[in-house]
Amino acid sequence: MRGLTEEIEVRLPSDPKASDPEIAKRIADMFDWSVTIHRDMIAVKVEHRWVTLSGTVDYHFHRQSAKDLASRITGVKGVTNLVEVKTRPSPSDVKDRIVAAFKRNADLDASTITVMTDGSTVRLGGQVHAWYERQIAERAAWAAPGVNRIEDNITVI
């Protein structure tokens, strides 16, 4: 029995000409130049111009920065972000940090927001008066170490 596999990809002259190794090198260079990403913490794999990021970082913003940088590279079709946040502080420590961040922000009434933690998941609840207050609360929660997921149940009244 004989087999034949063909992979034909139609590319227009205006399409990017970057190969997978070139894309991987560009992403690695961007990580080297970045102050928020440590190249040795994140592995980059490129297949058919689709980027897969993996590894562990200390904060969610490192994870998000890696995805943002990779997606800006010319020729990238898409990014799968498998990077995990590794720090695992105690849930009470995470909650205390988030509540303290709320109190430091003059635009946010910390007494109207509830914070519950379950491992690396943070659940926000309560009420705020404006959409930007909800965004402030969510950013404060993401800034806490070890947060991998946020369930934002804050309502704007």
Side-chain angles (χ1 to χ4, degrees):
M1 175 175 247
R2 292 182 188 230
L4 175 65
T5 302
E6 286 188 28
E7 185 174 314
I8 299 173
E9 182 178 348
V10 177
R11 290 170 55 177
L12 300 173
S14 61
D15 286 348
K17 304 281 190 273
S19 67
D20 290 350
E22 290 170 338
I23 291 171
K25 171 134 178 43
R26 288 178 189 163
I27 293 170
D29 289 344
M30 292 293 287
F31 287 178
D32 284 343
W33 299 329
S34 172
V35 294
T36 59
I37 301 170
H38 302 287
R39 183 178 182 179
D40 56 330
M41 298 176 92
I42 299 175
V44 178
K45 180 180 174 185
V46 182
E47 288 185 51
H48 307 290
R49 300 192 329 238
W50 193 277
V51 177
T52 302
L53 303 174
S54 60
T56 55
V57 294
D58 294 324
Y59 293 96
H60 174 73
F61 77 89
H62 292 142
R63 178 181 191 271
Q64 190 62 44
S65 293
K67 181 180 179 185
D68 291 346
L69 283 174
S71 64
R72 282 190 231 141
I73 301 298
T74 303
V76 171
K77 284 184 177 179
V79 178
T80 300
N81 193 354
L82 303 177
V83 175
E84 295 182 8
V85 180
K86 73 175 177 180
T87 307
R88 304 277 187 226
S90 70
S92 63
D93 183 41
V94 171
K95 179 179 178 177
D96 292 344
R97 287 180 187 218
I98 293 169
V99 171
F102 290 170
K103 290 178 181 176
R104 286 192 303 269
N105 195 311
D107 290 333
L108 189 63
D109 183 4
S111 64
T112 64
I113 299 174
T114 60
V115 178
M116 293 188 302
T117 56
D118 180 16
S120 61
T121 300
V122 173
R123 289 180 187 85
L124 301 175
Q127 298 177 338
V128 293
H129 297 289
W131 186 258
Y132 77 93
E133 290 177 335
R134 182 178 179 182
Q135 292 173 327
I136 291 169
E138 191 170 312
R139 280 195 306 267
W142 275 124
V147 175
N148 273 329
R149 184 169 173 238
I150 293 181
E151 294 178 10
D152 188 349
N153 299 316
I154 298 173
T155 56
V156 178
I157 55 172

